Amino acid sequence: LAAPELEPPFMALVVSGGHTALVRVKDYNHFRMFGQTRDDAAGEAFDKIARVLGLPYPGGPRIDKLAHEGKPTIDFPRALEEKGNYEFSFSGLKSAVLNYINSERMKGHELNLPDIAASFQSSVVEVLTHKAFEALEASGLDTLVLAGGVAANSALEAKLRAGAKKRGLRFFFPDHILCTDNAAMIGAAAYYEYLAGKRDGLDLNAIPNLKLGER
């Protein structure tokens, strides 16, 4: 919707409150899952950590803004970094941040919220970026697309943009207003289904656990 010149095939990094996945898009009706999260989605982790830090919902934009005031001085873990692994896991990172906060409070230390936010965000962004470019290399594609609510994160967009430029790859991401617009996403998906000649009756119902590519 934001880039009419974009055409498949490409690799999509989908990052939201419910999903974190690398998807090879063959065309707008055919996909191959390269890897997805084993537990929490990245956006879910942002919201949970924001709540612990006393930030209002939605947590992602609040942490992004707070991180600009701090430095990533805390070494939080980055899971599943081995080469060829395109899955994600953020439950361990979430636990590490909670343990750090509890430990600092027990010691009577004042929490540096900007540094915690910056360190947490840096860990998430580095994992997402590392796996996205490794998946691109493995697939032989030259185009990366960022999508989902967390696509509005300034650090993620900047790091992916810089990495794509360094590697001579094309990088696309939506306008921020589209990052959280599920209606636009559903409408676009329906449009391509319609062009492909697929129709459904009025008995069509939502299936929350439907996997990508299934009907």
Side-chain angles (χ1 to χ4, degrees), residues 6-12 23-26 28 136 141 143-145:
L6 174 64
E7 292 289 343
F10 55 79
M11 185 67 68
V23 182
R24 178 170 182 160
V25 180
K26 182 179 179 181
Y28 288 120
L136 261 178
L141 299 173
T143 303
L144 176 64
V145 172

Side-chain angles (χ1 to χ4, degrees), residues 3-153:
E5 71 274 21
L6 174 64
E7 292 289 343
F10 55 79
M11 185 67 68
L13 174 61
V14 184
V15 195
S16 68
H19 303 279
T20 301
L22 282 162
V23 182
R24 178 170 182 160
V25 180
K26 182 179 179 181
D27 61 49
Y28 288 120
N29 304 96
H30 297 90
F31 315 93
R32 175 194 166 194
M33 183 70 73
F34 243 67
Q36 58 186 325
T37 183
R38 294 181 179 179
D39 39 62
D40 291 350
E44 181 184 1
F46 267 100
D47 288 338
K48 288 180 178 177
I49 295 303
R51 186 164 63 247
V52 172
L53 296 180
L55 302 175
Y57 182 87
R62 310 292 182 174
I63 287 184
D64 191 11
K65 182 178 180 180
L66 186 60
H68 285 289
E69 304 172 16
K71 297 179 180 180
T73 57
I74 307 163
D75 186 23
F76 290 132
R78 291 144 176 82
L80 308 177
E81 285 193 302
E82 60 270 18
K83 188 174 179 60
N85 187 331
Y86 307 113
E87 293 186 309
F88 302 91
S89 174
F90 298 105
S91 62
L93 170 60
K94 181 185 65 178
S95 296
V97 176
L98 295 177
N99 290 338
Y100 174 84
I101 292 173
N102 291 333
S103 176
E104 291 297 290
R105 284 173 173 165
M106 289 178 64
K107 295 174 184 176
H109 296 168
E110 183 177 351
L111 294 176
N112 186 321
L113 298 187
D115 282 359
I116 295 174
S119 301
F120 165 75
Q121 178 168 275
S122 176
S123 180
V124 174
V125 168
E126 284 188 21
V127 168
L128 293 171
T129 304
H130 168 75
K131 289 182 179 288
F133 286 123
E134 189 172 290
L136 261 178
E137 182 180 355
S139 67
L141 299 173
D142 66 354
T143 303
L144 176 64
V145 172
L146 176 62
V150 184
N153 182 275

Side-chain angles (χ1 to χ4, degrees), residues 144-205:
L144 176 64
V145 172
L146 176 62
V150 184
N153 182 275
S154 63
L156 178 59
E157 185 266 315
K159 197 168 183 66
L160 288 172
R161 179 184 294 278
K165 182 177 181 180
K166 180 181 178 180
R167 294 168 173 82
L169 303 170
R170 299 197 308 160
F171 174 58
F172 293 86
F173 74 101
D175 299 329
H176 285 186
I177 191 63
L178 292 174
C179 291
T180 55
D181 194 337
N182 282 338
M185 176 271 293
I186 293 168
Y191 170 75
Y192 287 108
E193 291 280 290
Y194 184 85
L195 291 183
K198 297 178 181 178
R199 305 289 189 272
D200 290 292
L202 295 178
D203 60 340
L204 180 67
N205 199 0

